[in-house]
Amino acid sequence: MLETAIVGGGLCGIALARSLQQRGGSFALFEARHRLGGRVLSVRSRTGLALDLGPTWFWPDTQPLLTGLIAELGLSDFAQHDDGTVLHLKEADKSPEPISGPPLHQGARRLSGGMTRLIEALVRDLPPSSIHTGHELMRVIDCGTHVRLVFATSTESVAIEAKRAVLALPPRLLIDHVGFRPELDDATFEAMRSTETWMAAQAKVVIAYDQARWRDKGLSGNAFASHEQAVVGEIFDACDEGGDRAALGGFLAFAPALRETFAVGLPMLMDSQMVQLFGAELDGGEQHYQDWATERFTCSALDRTTPRGEHSEIASPMLRRPLWDGRLHLGGAETASHAAGYLEGAINAARRIERAIARAADAPVGARAGVALDEGLTGNEASLAWFAAWVAAQRDAAFDDYRQRLNRSLATQQREQLTQLAVLGAIEQVFAAALQVLDALTFDMRNVAVERGRSALMPEIQKPFRDVMQSLLDDAIAFNRTSCALSNFPFEHRPPKDYVQTILRDIAAAWQEFSLAANHLLLAKADAVRQPSGVSS
């Protein structure tokens, strides 16, 4: 039986597969298409220029995971060309106007040879026998000790069993294509349904030319068309690093239905707009066009029909929770806690799942109360390690408590301080339970120093709570942003900075109260050890 079945051969799935390969775990990667890369797609012009029809850029200043991976793989990159004048076509029958401002792409870089080079470099580390293309996932079944995945290929139905499954796909595609037994809980399903697939309903064109004539005119290649008849709304320079092989790229302004209506004449319309912007010498370029809205393994029915909303770079925390007792994980860029929808988000999601799998693999048999404990530790170190693991395990429970409190407040039609009261109540519950756990643990207090009324054990008691407190607040804010129920409560839906600061002060006060109580408990344990036998105070 496989240890891990990864479904989805985009960047998240492939990056995770590479990490598991490095760890020596047993895995297989399944992809519905007959190619890998997902939304990463580069094609070649007749001159050999790599043209990115999917993701094009990465930003080293804000995308450290992706930037580090590119460096680790030894891939060459170059700065996006932004030098020169930017054009704006405001009216269909007028000439474009020059506009000024800072560089449009803000330090963006591109990969030499196209973004597909990233996928190719990652796949090189994987055994070919572990990759299965042309496998469309139809059903996922929880069998109690493992999962069963049923795939459709061009010729047959294939069932695979694995200890765990990772679905590295946009959540809305799972709703469209995959059946779950048992069905996923309502909160998870709603989070999946509410998560827009980034760029799924968009279309992109890249047009190759014999030379970058716009650069000779002092133009950057960047342009915008904002009039009602605009065909390509945003245009950029897509030349190679030296500018010797020339191209312009652009994102279509037409909605999916309009692109379908004008499909026959679209090449002529796109060509005409490039000529209007940059001159007659750009007539008749070599067009490469990709309409992602027509890709059934990229764009869901909801993505095609729902107007694009405001993009949130933090996905709902409901999508990051292991399901079925850790046997099912949701992955893909749309589940990321940072840069959701972007390539950086895909790596973020892969790292999260890699850590979860590593924790499950490293957990010793017979761990107390479901908490892993290093069997080589003894005495106070063992108790502190167990307590730290217990605290870390409260992250999901605290967030569940927060959601329940929030839902109760909404059900009783409370309208004020919803997030504040729910976060405070959830973290206070964690602190109360922690005091009970701490009281039940055994410590050897004979050689534990007390200085100025503070036990020397307190720093280790306090340390694991920092991540839990921050995680709860981050998850609460992310959940609120993706919650339809809170959309009528703007102050809660997108908490302003001063409201968040108020919540932080509440958490700090509760934290101080817990710390004093925990220290008092440890001092009482120390007093009990020092108290002579048979003497009561």
Side-chain angles (χ1 to χ4, degrees), residues 28-29 163 200 305 323 342 358 379 464 473 492 495:
L29 176 69
K163 292 181 180 178
T305 58
L323 304 170
Y342 294 94
L473 184 57
E492 311 290 346

Side-chain angles (χ1 to χ4, degrees), residues 371-374 377 379-391 443:
V371 177
L373 176 63
D374 187 340
L377 297 177
N380 288 352
E381 285 187 347
S383 292
L384 289 169
W386 191 91
F387 184 71
W390 179 89
V391 173
F443 290 99

